[in-house]
Amino acid sequence: MKRQLILFLVLVSGLVASLTSRAELVIRITDGTNDGIPVMIVPFQGGDLAGVIEADLQRTGLFTLIDPAKAGQALAMGQPFQTEPLRASGAEYVIVGKQAGSLEFEILNAATGKRAAGYRIAQISNTRRMGHKAADLIFERLTGKRGAFDTQVAYVSANGPAKAQTYQLIVADADGFNPRTIMRSNKPVMSPSWSPDGNRLAYVSFESNRSVIYVQDLVSGDKRALADHPGMNSAPAWSPDGRFIAMSLSQEGNPDIYLMDANGGGLRQITTSKAIDTEPAWANNNTLIYTSDQSGSPQLYRTTVAGGEGSRLTFTGEYNAAPSVVGNTVAMVRDIGSANRIALMNASSSDSKLVSEGTYDESPSLAPNGEMVIYATEAGGRGVLAVASANGKARQVLATQVDDVRDPAWSPYLD
Amino acid sequence: MYPKVFLASVLTVGILSGCQTAPPPPGSIPEINALGGGVGGMGQGGMGQMGAGQGQAGVGGNGQYGNGAGGLNPNGLGGAGQGGYGQGGYGNGGMAGQGNSPYSPADLNNPGSILAQRIIYFDYDQARIRAEYLPVLEAHASLLAAYPNLKIRLEGHADERGSREYNVALSERRGYSVRDYMAARGLKNQQAEIVGYGEEVPASLGHGEKSWSENRRVEIIYVGE
């Protein structure tokens, strides 16, 4: 179902100085679901975080939001409530809360009339983040799965005329708010990859007029060149245990997958095909999924850190590339002829489905719980970031600045 | 114009070939033009023993490219006096070539020369060089073979379709495709540096085949230009 519901989420003033020139960011919800868990989120006393939680839950495609106006009563934290009108509203769960420095909220069970759970989140300076933490708790309580709203996304923005663009590497909250620039260059920057502890980013920069893989500490800002080999240094991917960074290096125009120690050195070649082998993604500490065009067009393959040629994973579509893997789910870019879309495949059954609806969709990156995938698409003639639910039912265009943005990477869990 | 430092180190070995060529058009810089004059310059003016002045002197002449010149060949081999354009091995020669290319570095600045064509375009997801560009690459290869101190960057690019990192690899492959074609025609591999930029530096920001076809390219960039 298409819902052109637009939530204007106005930033509280004084958050980050660099944001003052663009104080208003917008999340545009393009699709939701009407067969999810019905939840009513009552506006909180003393704060506006209910909207943050609504947008978070809706992004998973697992919840259907019920309008609080249908509650048939005034609801407030800690107050008695009537069960019948809540049932009549269609809500299965109702969230009530109040924000006074810290955020307190309760989950009411509309069927039983009981308070299912109560929580308190301590005050932090990034107020919206309190809402994301609340959404994580609600998500876990109602689905049994860990929430991934209180996470971040790294991406690249570009602006300026053709061949004279300025590139920025940006880290923001997972809904696009609170962006901060990590580095900027007048040469291309691409392919951010998070360390599993969320403290560092590996990325590719052409600042020396060739591709070099750098690792940058997000706290100190220190950066160092990790891979500066002759030829192409591309597509870094941090192993889940943090020890290695997989990458694609070329020698004389033949890109293969290699590993390096994350702290430098220890170069080890994994694939040896004559084809383009690139875009490695870790399925676990031993298994790599990557793109290779050895069959004549790009397809996904699987190999191990012991090396050797991979076994082919994808057989649907002429062009499958750029894998992102969480558990058994493999996200990828698929050329469907008329468009590039994001496909999610179950690695066991090989069943796959398209979850995006754009024309130029690319660069999928799964949330650490695998319930959502962020990707680059286009809206209004510029590159934007969107999130689709893994079940394909929900889509949101994230709040980002006016530049052309692309190449998102979803962070790991951050605490 | 090339930096003098670069030119001063020129050292080549002359090649003889007695063929004749048409004189250059009026007003143009004398070319190496395949000549008879076994040419070769050594970076230091004044050696000039060679008879390169005869024939259609191979050396650039006229001081266009700095000092240096002078032949290595003490016997002054070269085509017998065919008039000689340029000043052969004397004084102001300069950028030494091997004397077997119809092109000289000066042609790089001539909008009418085939060497003014610096962009090679490709088909979607392909690194194969289209036939229409073979003469362009042959011309550049000829120049680069004759002037082994010239260096180029081959900057490969892709259109926005497909994944970004695959496109980096694809665009690098396009660069190698261009290099390999030229290497078969005399370019030395170490004269060319290849960089794949993928879809990150579009020549045209729009969508659709027109923009895409402009973005799937290799740009030939002469270092120092």
Side-chain angles (χ1 to χ4, degrees):
Chain A
M1 110 185 183
K2 287 268 180 192
R3 287 181 58 183
Q4 290 297 326
L5 171 63
I6 296 183
L7 298 184
F8 285 88
L9 300 168
V10 180
L11 274 182
V12 183
S13 63
L15 270 184
V16 181
S18 66
L19 286 178
T20 51
S21 62
R22 45 174 191 277
E24 191 174 279
L25 297 177
V26 178
I27 293 176
R28 191 159 52 85
I29 296 170
T30 55
D31 293 284
T33 181
N34 55 10
D35 62 356
I37 300 169
V39 180
M40 176 187 295
I41 301 175
V42 180
F44 294 167
Q45 299 165 258
D48 58 0
L49 293 178
V52 174
I53 298 170
E54 284 185 340
D56 281 354
L57 294 181
Q58 206 163 39
R59 209 174 299 135
T60 66
L62 297 174
F63 297 89
T64 299
L65 296 175
I66 306 297
D67 185 351
K70 295 181 179 173
Q73 60 196 300
L75 292 168
M77 175 93 179
Q79 299 300 310
F81 60 95
Q82 299 175 292
T83 307
E84 274 310 314
L86 287 186
R87 281 186 195 153
S89 75
E92 213 166 290
Y93 296 95
V94 178
I95 314 296
V96 291
K98 66 179 179 189
Q99 189 183 342
S102 63
L103 171 66
E104 293 178 63
F105 65 97
E106 295 173 332
I107 302 175
L108 312 179
N109 185 321
T112 64
K114 299 271 173 50
R115 292 177 201 284
Y119 303 91
R120 180 180 178 281
I121 293 168
Q123 184 174 16
I124 48 179
S125 58
N126 177 354
T127 313
R128 291 180 60 87
R129 200 173 165 194
M130 296 164 68
H132 296 314
K133 290 175 179 293
D136 280 343
L137 292 166
I138 295 165
F139 182 86
E140 183 159 359
R141 176 74 192 194
L142 301 188
T143 68
K145 291 178 265 194
R146 185 171 180 181
F149 305 114
D150 182 28
T151 52
Q152 295 191 312
V153 58
Y155 60 93
V156 174
S157 84
N159 65 35
K163 301 191 74 174
Q165 295 194 292
T166 300
Y167 303 82
Q168 293 183 71
L169 179 60
I170 292 170
V171 170
D173 293 348
D175 62 353
F177 282 75
N178 298 317
R180 63 187 174 106
T181 298
I182 299 306
M183 69 87 72
R184 106 181 49 219
S185 174
N186 59 6
K187 296 287 163 44
V189 179
M190 61 187 299
S191 308
S193 171
W194 290 84
S195 64
D197 62 7
N199 290 331
R200 286 169 291 172
L201 283 179
Y203 59 87
V204 173
S205 168
F206 287 81
E207 63 199 63
S208 61
N209 288 321
R210 46 192 306 276
S211 55
V212 174
I213 296 173
Y214 293 89
V215 170
Q216 184 164 334
D217 188 296
L218 291 177
V219 178
S220 69
D222 292 344
K223 80 171 188 182
R224 63 185 168 79
L226 177 77
D228 187 7
H229 305 284
M232 178 186 86
N233 297 270
S234 178
W238 225 298
S239 65
D241 63 11
R243 294 172 60 203
F244 302 106
I245 293 179
M247 61 189 68
S248 178
L249 306 177
S250 72
Q251 299 195 338
E252 287 295 294
N254 176 28
D256 284 307
I257 307 297
Y258 289 76
L259 296 188
M260 284 185 74
D261 294 342
N263 295 320
L267 184 65
R268 183 144 54 106
Q269 185 166 1
I270 302 298
T271 68
T272 56
S273 83
K274 293 270 193 290
I276 290 174
D277 295 341
T278 186
E279 298 169 343
W282 296 82
N284 54 54
N285 285 319
N286 293 312
T287 310
L288 288 162
I289 312 294
Y290 63 99
T291 305
S292 174
D293 70 347
Q294 59 191 268
S295 71
S297 72
Q299 297 290 345
L300 300 188
Y301 289 75
R302 170 171 45 200
T303 189
T304 71
V305 294
E309 293 316 297
S311 54
R312 184 169 165 178
L313 282 182
T314 50
F315 294 91
T316 303
E318 284 295 301
Y319 189 124
N320 291 291
S324 170
V325 188
V326 168
N328 230 9
T329 302
V330 182
M332 70 196 78
V333 178
R334 173 169 296 167
D335 184 347
I336 61 168
S338 57
N340 284 352
R341 295 269 169 82
I342 307 305
L344 262 52
M345 184 177 79
N346 180 310
S348 301
S349 67
S350 291
D351 290 343
S352 65
K353 61 175 179 286
L354 299 173
V355 298
S356 74
E357 296 184 335
T359 305
Y360 307 107
D361 302 342
E362 62 178 8
S363 304
S365 179
L366 287 159
N369 63 1
E371 292 294 327
M372 297 167 280
V373 60
I374 192 169
Y375 58 96
T377 182
E378 188 166 273
R382 69 183 182 95
V384 297
L385 304 182
V387 172
S389 63
N391 66 12
K393 293 178 177 176
R395 271 163 294 280
Q396 291 182 6
V397 174
L398 292 195
T400 51
Q401 316 152 51
V402 295
D403 299 337
D404 217 23
V405 301
R406 77 284 287 270
D407 221 351
W410 208 311
S411 80
Y413 295 116
L414 294 177
D415 51 28
Chain B
M1 193 56 65
Y2 292 81
K4 287 185 178 176
V5 173
F6 171 65
L7 293 165
S9 65
V10 166
L11 170 63
T12 60
V13 176
I15 287 186
L16 306 180
S17 72
C19 66
Q20 312 199 4
T21 55
S28 74
I29 293 165
E31 297 180 347
I32 288 228
N33 278 351
L35 332 195
V39 178
M42 172 120 176
Q44 296 183 7
M47 285 185 67
Q49 303 115 305
M50 116 175 196
Q54 315 161 15
Q56 297 161 354
V59 179
N62 280 353
Q64 283 291 321
Y65 297 101
N67 307 319
L72 281 179
N73 190 328
N75 297 323
L77 298 177
Q82 295 176 3
Y85 301 92
Q87 309 199 354
Y90 303 114
N92 300 326
M95 187 72 163
Q98 295 188 344
N100 57 353
S101 172
Y103 306 105
S104 83
D107 294 316
L108 292 169
N109 299 322
N110 174 7
S113 168
I114 190 171
L115 296 178
Q117 292 188 50
R118 305 289 181 84
I119 305 183
I120 309 300
Y121 296 100
F122 292 80
D123 293 332
Y124 174 62
D125 198 22
Q126 293 295 321
R128 187 184 53 80
I129 295 163
R130 305 202 309 236
E132 65 206 88
Y133 296 111
L134 298 182
V136 177
L137 297 186
E138 284 157 11
H140 284 285
S142 169
L143 175 74
L144 288 156
Y147 295 87
N149 288 82
L150 284 177
K151 288 191 164 27
I152 55 172
R153 271 169 67 86
L154 296 172
E155 298 187 344
H157 300 272
D159 71 29
E160 65 182 340
R161 293 174 295 168
S163 67
R164 303 192 90 90
E165 289 159 334
Y166 176 80
N167 279 339
V168 170
L170 171 64
S171 64
E172 188 197 46
R173 181 190 271 177
R174 287 173 175 157
Y176 276 98
S177 185
V178 168
R179 187 205 68 175
D180 290 348
Y181 187 82
M182 294 204 288
R185 284 149 190 82
L187 171 87
K188 297 284 184 291
N189 282 351
Q190 57 271 26
Q191 285 178 273
E193 179 187 15
I194 293 94
V195 180
Y197 281 102
E199 63 187 274
E200 309 302 317
V201 189
S204 168
L205 293 177
H207 294 309
E209 185 51 40
K210 182 171 183 301
S211 288
W212 294 334
S213 62
E214 291 172 16
N215 290 335
R216 295 187 302 263
R217 68 200 194 277
V218 168
E219 298 186 6
I220 302 169
I221 296 166
Y222 281 80
V223 175
E225 248 188 347

